[in-house]
Amino acid sequence: MKYGIDINNERILKAISEGLKYRGNFIVDLTEHENIIIGKMLLKKVLIANVTNIDFYFAIEFKNSWFNCEIFYGEGSSSKIYSEKIMNLLNSRFKNTVCNDGQHLYLLKNTKAPVVYVKIPLQYEEKLEGLFLDELINILRSIEL
């Protein structure tokens, strides 16, 4: 399977990518490592995802200004199914985790593959890395389209 991975934490990006590659999956790194205009960055990510014909797009964005975990899923049942699995995992430690249809988001609306986009407060970064990384990788490995 070909995953598009987009995570703004190098250690978590590497761990998830290696965990998926270990099982024979192919990874397309969609993380933007340069600071560019948001609109241009989103367009670039959508174009790369669609041109490389990924099977599943998974993104985690950590940011200081968020206070709750939010998970957005794209069109199609697989996005919703796996976003709910991730929500259950995160909700076990981070209360008030919500899961919503993200069809209003440019990235989800314009990417051909199923998408799960997770927004996590920066203060939860270490907890995710320490407590949930293996379980998150297992959820991603279980994806069947």
Side-chain angles (χ1 to χ4, degrees):
M1 191 153 148
K2 190 186 299 184
Y3 292 87
I5 304 294
D6 180 7
I7 302 171
N8 68 340
N9 174 300
E10 287 292 324
R11 292 182 315 274
I12 294 173
L13 172 68
K14 184 178 178 182
I16 288 176
S17 295
E18 288 178 2
L20 293 171
K21 282 182 192 177
Y22 176 75
R23 297 288 178 139
N25 297 296
F26 184 77
I27 304 301
V28 176
D29 182 358
L30 296 166
T31 305
E32 187 58 51
H33 300 283
E34 302 171 20
N35 290 329
I36 60 174
I37 299 168
I38 291 176
K40 187 175 182 180
M41 175 186 62
L42 290 173
L43 175 63
K44 183 178 175 182
K45 289 179 182 195
V46 167
L47 288 172
I48 292 170
N50 291 340
V51 167
T52 58
N53 201 29
I54 61 172
D55 296 311
F56 197 87
Y57 192 126
F58 179 71
I60 299 177
E61 185 175 2
F62 295 97
K63 209 166 191 178
N64 246 343
S65 58
W66 295 323
F67 301 103
N68 295 321
C69 295
E70 291 183 79
I71 303 166
F72 297 94
Y73 54 89
E75 189 174 310
S77 61
S78 61
S79 286
K80 186 172 183 180
I81 290 167
Y82 292 102
S83 64
E84 288 172 353
K85 287 182 180 189
I86 293 168
M87 183 188 71
N88 291 336
L89 172 66
L90 295 179
N91 221 7
S92 67
R93 291 284 181 149
F94 310 132
K95 300 304 175 205
N96 301 322
T97 299
V98 295
C99 188
N100 295 308
D101 183 347
Q103 283 303 301
H104 63 286
L105 300 173
Y106 181 85
L107 184 71
L108 281 77
K109 183 172 32 175
N110 292 289
T111 303
K112 294 176 186 174
V115 179
V116 172
Y117 172 63
V118 184
K119 294 167 95 175
I120 299 179
L122 192 59
Q123 69 262 24
Y124 295 166
E125 191 174 31
E126 287 184 25
K127 284 184 182 177
L128 176 78
E129 193 172 0
L131 299 173
F132 301 117
L133 209 46
D134 289 336
E135 293 175 68
L136 185 56
I137 291 169
N138 287 334
I139 290 172
L140 293 173
R141 283 182 186 157
S142 72
I143 293 173
E144 295 179 11
L145 302 177

